[in-house]
Amino acid sequence: MNPIGVFASVDAGLGVSWDVIEKVGVPTIQLHAPHRQSRGPEVVERLRQQLKQIGVTLTAVFGGFEGESYADIPTVGRTIGLVPPETRQERLQEMFEISDFAQQMGCDTVALHIGVVPHDRNDPQRAGIVDVTRELCQHCGRHGQFLHLETGQESAEDLIAFIDDVGVDNLRINFDPANMILYGMGDPLEALKKLAPLVRSVHCKDGTWSDQPGVTWGQEVPLGQGDVNIKAYLETLRDIGYTGPLTIEREIPQDPERQLREIGDAVRLLETYLRELHG
Ligand code: MG
């Protein structure tokens, strides 16, 4: 049965805070990369020791950058990932450092939102984004790591076309079913089936469709209360042979008590469905 996990943060990103990982009581985490000043050798040593003490395995490190904003869909296009040309090179350098940090943490997976890639293969911006992604994969490859792209900002077909264009064997997908809904990018379970051979990690997050899909956000909601259909999601993951961690993501760090409570509910929901599906 898949191990359950939670998305966590040290000092950056929207995960559960480091000091409550133990309270969540799950065997795995994905970690938002800490700020640069918190990636030094002493911090690495301390974080590794703490995870070891509580018996938690780090399964992926997510990169994120200063200046990113998820305020609305057009802002995502302008600010996220390796897409904005003016910050592309410095963010690539930072991703190299995050890959190095992940390696020191003993983790073979680095992930990020790459940003909104132009779908038209003739768009003049596209080649530069493909090249920089390949460079990052090569860096990760030297550490024996995979790079995972978070889904959501494109359809399954466009994501497959992008991965084809990058043309390396360590570029995979972190599948987030809620993002497909929040960004209005198509039915998540159909997308999951199409992307199946490339999916190497997943988020368990739920959301409701916007009344203007792709124009305005849908709403992120507690697991099981949105439009994903979590039981069917787990069934599809089983059917495609996915045995990796199920990482719960609940992006409401402004209310840590509620976040923790809802994540506890999510853990129980997943455990119940997993028992039903796997017997
Ligand atoms: Mg996600």
Side-chain angles (χ1 to χ4, degrees), residues 51-255:
L51 288 180
K52 198 173 163 196
Q53 269 166 20
I54 59 175
V56 169
T57 303
L58 173 61
T59 62
V61 176
F62 266 73
F65 310 102
E66 286 295 323
E68 291 189 315
S69 168
Y70 291 89
D72 52 45
I73 292 179
T75 307
V76 167
R78 276 196 312 278
T79 67
I80 299 298
L82 300 178
V83 169
E86 56 288 355
T87 51
R88 191 177 297 153
Q89 279 308 318
E90 69 189 60
R91 287 180 175 182
L92 176 64
Q93 293 306 318
E94 178 150 26
M95 282 308 297
F96 288 167
E97 294 173 21
I98 288 170
S99 160
D100 299 346
F101 167 80
Q103 189 214 19
Q104 289 151 19
M105 289 293 294
C107 182
D108 74 352
T109 303
V110 177
L112 84 164
H113 273 282
I114 197 87
V116 182
V117 179
H119 306 316
D120 178 357
R121 279 190 157 131
N122 299 316
D123 187 296
Q125 284 297 320
R126 188 179 163 98
I129 303 166
V130 167
D131 288 348
V132 89
T133 306
R134 188 181 303 119
E135 259 187 87
L136 177 54
C137 287
Q138 286 162 349
H139 185 96
C140 292
R142 287 192 278 278
H143 292 325
Q145 292 166 330
F146 290 85
L147 180 70
H148 291 192
L149 302 178
E150 170 89 349
T151 54
Q153 293 140 356
E154 60 291 295
S155 68
E157 291 78 8
D158 286 333
L159 188 54
I160 291 169
F162 179 74
I163 289 174
D164 269 356
D165 284 356
V166 178
V168 295
D169 57 14
N170 63 334
L171 182 58
R172 300 292 168 82
I173 289 168
N174 182 84
F175 187 82
D176 185 324
N179 284 353
M180 305 297 297
I181 290 173
L182 298 174
Y183 286 88
M185 284 297 152
D187 178 75
L189 303 189
E190 289 310 308
L192 177 58
K193 288 176 205 159
K194 289 180 193 152
L195 297 171
L198 293 163
V199 172
R200 202 172 159 271
S201 62
V202 304
H203 284 163
C204 292
K205 189 170 89 186
D206 214 339
T208 54
W209 291 94
S210 158
D211 54 3
Q212 296 172 276
V215 180
T216 59
W217 289 119
Q219 201 191 348
E220 195 207 325
V221 297
L223 202 71
Q225 297 180 27
D227 295 328
V228 169
N229 188 347
I230 297 300
K231 190 172 182 187
Y233 176 49
L234 295 180
E235 205 165 8
T236 308
L237 285 169
R238 181 197 62 188
D239 293 347
I240 68 169
Y242 178 78
T243 56
L246 302 169
T247 305
I248 298 163
E249 189 180 33
R250 184 69 177 117
E251 302 185 297
I252 46 167
Q254 68 282 7
D255 189 344

Side-chain angles (χ1 to χ4, degrees), residues 26-47:
V26 292
T28 72
I29 59 164
Q30 291 184 345
L31 180 64
H32 191 288
H35 291 304
R36 184 175 272 139
Q37 66 271 18
S38 310
R39 287 186 224 127
E42 330 69 62
V43 180
V44 166
E45 186 50 34
R46 177 169 57 81
L47 299 180

